[in-house]
């Protein structure tokens, strides 16, 4: 959702324990693919997506190592998960 203060995420998956690195990367991959698919600003989207782990940690979440985030991102962008 977009508010005057900026985007607000509603994560219904937080009703149970999940794996934050995968959740962040799933969100990031969808944002990046949407920007590419809709002729959006893919560079700006990639910059925002790259900051997701830092934003998550800044909001109080457990830090997500960049190596893990990058691995999941590569897997989600080339794998069949997003095509379903």
């Amino acid at each position: 959702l977009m508010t005057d203060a900026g985007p607000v995420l509603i994560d219904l998956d937080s009703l149970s324990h999940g794996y934050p690195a995968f959740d962040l990367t799933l969100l990031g991959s969808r944002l990046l693919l949407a920007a590419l698919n809709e002729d959006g600003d893919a560079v700006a989207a990639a910059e925002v997506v790259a900051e997701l782990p830092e934003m998550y940690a800044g909001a109080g979440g457990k830090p997500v190592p960049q190596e893990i985030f990058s691995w999941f991102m590569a897997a989600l962008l080339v794998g069949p998960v997003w095509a379903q």
Side-chain angles (χ1 to χ4, degrees):
L1 301 174
M2 292 300 293
T3 68
D4 291 338
V8 175
L9 301 177
I10 299 175
D11 182 5
L12 297 178
D13 288 333
S14 65
L15 295 172
S16 65
H17 288 100
Y19 190 53
F22 179 78
D23 293 341
L24 285 177
T25 312
L26 183 60
L27 169 64
S29 67
R30 300 295 165 94
L31 292 173
L32 187 55
L33 289 170
L36 290 167
N37 188 45
E38 297 173 6
D39 294 325
D41 188 347
V43 172
E47 290 171 353
V48 170
V49 168
E51 296 297 321
L52 285 175
E54 186 176 320
M55 288 189 277
Y56 178 74
K62 183 178 178 183
V64 173
Q66 189 63 41
E67 297 83 13
I68 293 173
F69 184 78
S70 298
W71 188 92
F72 274 121
M73 183 62 70
L76 287 171
L77 290 175
V78 299
V81 173
W82 62 268
Q84 294 179 359

